[in-house]
Amino acid sequence: MKKATKADIEIIKQAFIEKYSDAVTELNYKNDYELLIAIILSAQCTDKRVNIITPALFEKYPSVRELAVADLEDVKALLNSCSFFNNKSKNIIKMAQSVLMNYEGEIPHDQQKLMKLAGVGNKTANVFMIEFEGANLMAVDTHVFRVSHRLGLSDGKTVDITEADLVKKLKGHDLHIFHQAMVLFGRYICKAVKPECDNCLFPQVCKTKQSFKPA
């Protein structure tokens, strides 16, 4: 696949900033506790599904204090329509226990500290910091991975390599905007199946349009 040129990258950056500069996550949350759990649950699960199941969870367990002593089977029952709900149920309870034990019940707003919590990897920590703190970071989910490869911004085989490529090529103070932009662009326009190429923001720089089969 052809790589995006410097001129292509500038076109992409400008279009994303113009359309998505005010974009935020589509996950529903009221505080940092709810946001972190929603992000953990959203791994390989749609935001729409997460938003359906979290209200009951947050009503019963409104903070880490209640969740830390939650019955595992009860949490599983609340999350059973979420992908990998068994592991996610265990992880959010362990996360709550760790926050109580190590951070006085306050969700840490630090990338490295977040990554020490159960169920929180680099992507989850970055998404949390981007959304809650407006941190100048890049997080690569399935949408970002797909869009970055289709646009020639990365040919990395892993999420970590792709993230490094994007940080290098989209360098500046707007990485958080580009993350949100690529998530929404990938979710609604540059979809995995039947991408809406007629609605593309920059068809002149796409590297893969010719390979898509018409619907």
Side-chain angles (χ1 to χ4, degrees):
M1 183 185 297
K2 293 182 179 179
K3 292 185 178 181
T5 65
K6 289 183 178 180
D8 291 341
I9 293 171
E10 288 306 311
I11 292 172
I12 293 168
K13 290 170 67 173
Q14 188 60 38
F16 275 154
I17 289 174
E18 288 180 2
K19 185 171 178 63
Y20 296 107
S21 59
D22 297 323
V24 294
T25 182
E26 293 187 316
L27 292 168
N28 295 334
Y29 69 96
K30 297 176 183 176
N31 51 50
D32 53 0
Y33 161 76
E34 293 187 0
L35 174 62
L36 183 58
I37 289 179
I39 297 171
I40 292 172
L41 297 182
S42 71
Q44 295 180 284
C45 185
T46 65
D47 287 3
K48 183 178 180 180
R49 170 56 51 187
V50 173
N51 288 338
I52 290 172
I53 63 179
T54 50
L57 177 72
F58 296 149
E59 181 179 4
K60 190 161 188 178
Y61 304 107
S63 77
V64 292
R65 288 167 179 80
E66 292 83 11
L67 187 58
V69 293
D71 177 76
L72 176 59
E73 295 306 315
D74 184 59
V75 174
K76 286 182 181 180
L78 290 169
L79 303 183
N80 65 6
S81 64
C82 184
S83 59
F84 305 103
F85 71 92
N86 285 312
N87 283 335
K88 289 177 180 178
S89 297
K90 295 175 185 176
N91 282 335
I92 63 171
I93 292 174
K94 289 180 181 178
M95 177 277 292
Q97 292 170 343
S98 182
V99 169
L100 268 183
M101 183 178 299
N102 300 310
Y103 303 112
E104 299 181 343
E106 299 293 332
I107 302 294
H109 291 207
D110 176 272
Q111 184 186 30
Q112 296 305 312
K113 290 179 180 178
L114 284 165
M115 289 174 62
K116 293 179 181 180
L117 301 175
V120 181
N122 179 69
K123 188 207 78 172
T124 297
N126 283 7
V127 171
F128 177 90
M129 293 299 294
I130 289 168
E131 175 63 24
F132 210 86
E133 297 291 343
N136 191 45
L137 296 169
M138 174 56 65
V140 178
D141 68 357
T142 55
H143 300 300
V144 176
F145 189 89
R146 179 174 67 255
V147 169
S148 63
H149 285 68
R150 285 181 176 175
L151 294 179
L153 294 172
S154 175
D155 58 2
K157 302 299 183 184
T158 69
V159 168
D160 290 340
I161 295 174
T162 301
E163 179 184 325
D165 286 342
L166 292 174
V167 169
K168 181 179 179 180
K169 292 180 180 178
L170 302 176
K171 58 186 176 182
H173 301 292
D174 300 314
L175 287 177
H176 59 297
I177 294 177
F178 298 135
H179 162 73
Q180 301 284 23
M182 294 173 82
V183 169
L184 295 177
F185 181 68
R187 182 174 293 161
Y188 296 111
I189 299 177
C190 194
K191 297 180 285 189
V193 179
K194 297 181 181 179
E196 297 181 5
C197 297
D198 290 342
N199 295 324
C200 186
L201 300 178
F202 23 68
Q204 71 275 36
V205 302
C206 180
K207 306 304 179 187
T208 50
K209 182 177 180 179
Q210 292 179 349
S211 66
F212 298 145
K213 296 180 180 179

